[in-house]
Amino acid sequence: MPFREISAKMVQAEVTPGQRVFSQRGAMIAYKGEVSFTPNTRSGQGGVLSMIGRRVANEAAPLMTVEGSGQVWFGHGGHHVQVVELAGDTLYVEADRLLAFDGTLEQDTVFLGAQGGVRGVVRGQVTGQGLFTTSLRGTGGVAVMAHGGVLPLPVTPGRPVHVDPQAYVAHHGDVRNKLSTALGWRDMVGRGSGEAFQLELSGEGTVYVQASEEKL
């Protein structure tokens, strides 16, 4: 894994010849060595589909491809950073909360409705979250960011976790997500989180939540 947490708001990536790291544009704080940064219009390894997905989610800025030999320090907007290690599994992360990831990981763009059905669409329309999220699969490290810190919550069989959709950062494991509402349709107008909507995650894995509902 190329990432090491330097502080609550900064990670260091080891960049070696022949290996790549992808990062959000504007995330580089400093670097040392012979390192290059190139805008990546393919948005990682997800190709055109990934690019379209990120643009639909109002993310016009491409990722940066980081290559060479040296060390790079990443952070963004003073947000808290959490490194998640993958060992052959898949991490689903809100695209705007993705700071950087190992270039060995396979990236794709996932429509939230694929797991949440029509309610996944409702989540995007009403809560202000994107309809698309990013999946990263394989073995390597991922740095995600959030407001006010990141809390990993275990999801175990028979004990689902309910999360405010705007506090959701990422999840991995054998986890299904379903959006439910605690209010009637008329009551939901103008309400994007908390009392109106709850994101239920069931199965076995981990869900990462942020301490603040503020959108990145």
Side-chain angles (χ1 to χ4, degrees), residues 75-149:
H76 197 275
H79 303 309
H80 286 254
V81 179
Q82 174 82 34
V83 174
V84 181
E85 299 182 45
L86 298 181
D89 50 338
T90 301
L91 177 73
Y92 297 90
V93 56
E94 286 283 1
D96 57 359
R97 291 175 177 143
L98 182 59
L99 179 67
F101 61 94
D102 194 327
T104 60
L105 297 174
E106 178 184 351
Q107 183 196 5
D108 203 353
T109 299
V110 179
F111 181 57
L112 286 175
Q115 287 192 351
V118 175
R119 293 183 178 183
V121 178
V122 173
R123 174 190 169 195
Q125 294 293 341
V126 181
T127 70
Q129 302 284 44
L131 293 179
F132 291 85
T133 192
T134 299
S135 68
L136 297 167
R137 180 182 297 106
T139 300
V142 183
V144 300
M145 55 185 174
H147 280 283

Side-chain angles (χ1 to χ4, degrees), residues 24-48:
Q24 184 176 124
R25 185 156 67 179
M28 189 276 289
I29 295 176
Y31 73 90
K32 180 171 63 176
E34 298 296 325
V35 182
S36 65
F37 302 84
T38 307
N40 179 17
T41 56
R42 288 177 57 85
S43 294
Q45 298 179 3
V48 176

Side-chain angles (χ1 to χ4, degrees), residues 90-94 112 115-116 123 133 151-180 197-210:
T90 301
L91 177 73
Y92 297 90
V93 56
E94 286 283 1
L112 286 175
Q115 287 192 351
R123 174 190 169 195
T133 192
L151 175 66
L153 296 174
V155 181
T156 57
R159 296 181 64 87
V161 176
H162 295 84
V163 176
D164 184 317
Q166 292 183 333
Y168 169 84
V169 175
H171 76 270
H172 71 89
D174 185 15
V175 175
R176 298 281 299 174
N177 71 74
K178 180 179 67 175
L179 190 77
S180 61
F197 289 98
Q198 296 176 1
L199 184 63
E200 177 183 301
L201 297 108
S202 59
E204 187 169 9
T206 302
V207 56
Y208 298 87
V209 298
Q210 64 177 9

